[in-house]
Amino acid sequence: MNTKLIAALAASAAATALFVTGCSDSGTSSTPSSTGSAAPAPAAGKSTASVDGKEFTAKFDTICAKQGGVLALSLTDLANATYGNLSVSATVEGDAVQAVAIGGTQGGSNGLPYAVGYGNGQPGGSAKLAKDGNTFRITGEGVSADMTNPLAGPTTAKFDITFACTTIA
């Protein structure tokens, strides 16, 4: 997956997050995990996101909307101290995760944008969905790139995201 595709996926996720209207639920994530293992399961009703075992310190607004058989899930923090405009989103069709995008306007190498993406059928990633009522947990592996050295090629990053939806529009 090339860096242009990763950037496009992150931009698409951010646009989806801003375009989708529906439920909104504010939640604050906990302190970053100091271990390299997967993030602990979130408290009930909390939306959280972590990459490579490090949980984002963010105050997320959660948006959940369904049209036809496609569920759009989004977490946004438009004033994140580390990542600027931080967006975490996923699309789910049935029980299959179609796409995941994690992007920030800053926080990448040398102050550049931050992005991790997964697209169903694209090389270099995977995603699994677990549902509990209106709470959706997506775990897997996405693709990222160091934008300061695009010739280095993509790297992989593990993600663990919980979308705690109060309602689904």
Side-chain angles (χ1 to χ4, degrees), residues 18-120:
L18 295 174
F19 179 74
V20 174
T21 59
C23 70
S24 179
D25 178 37
S26 294
T28 305
S29 69
S30 61
T31 310
S33 170
S34 60
T35 65
S37 62
K46 294 282 186 179
S47 292
T48 62
S50 66
V51 173
D52 287 336
K54 182 181 177 188
E55 189 170 331
F56 290 107
T57 300
K59 181 177 165 94
F60 284 126
D61 288 324
T62 303
I63 300 170
C64 310
K66 187 170 187 174
Q67 182 172 4
V70 178
L71 178 63
L73 303 166
S74 175
L75 307 178
T76 55
D77 179 350
L78 300 179
N80 189 276
T82 303
Y83 297 98
N85 292 336
L86 176 61
S87 174
V88 179
S89 63
T91 55
V92 176
E93 189 168 358
D95 287 332
V97 178
Q98 298 301 314
V100 173
I102 303 167
T105 56
Q106 62 190 39
S109 299
N110 293 326
L112 291 172
Y114 177 83
V116 175
Y118 160 77
N120 191 8

Side-chain angles (χ1 to χ4, degrees), residues 69 71 73 90-100 118 126-140 159 161-163:
L71 178 63
L73 303 166
T91 55
V92 176
E93 189 168 358
D95 287 332
V97 178
Q98 298 301 314
V100 173
Y118 160 77
S126 64
K128 293 181 185 177
L129 171 68
K131 295 187 269 186
D132 183 9
N134 279 354
T135 299
F136 303 86
R137 183 175 182 196
I138 298 176
T139 57
F159 54 81
I161 309 163
T162 299
F163 299 91

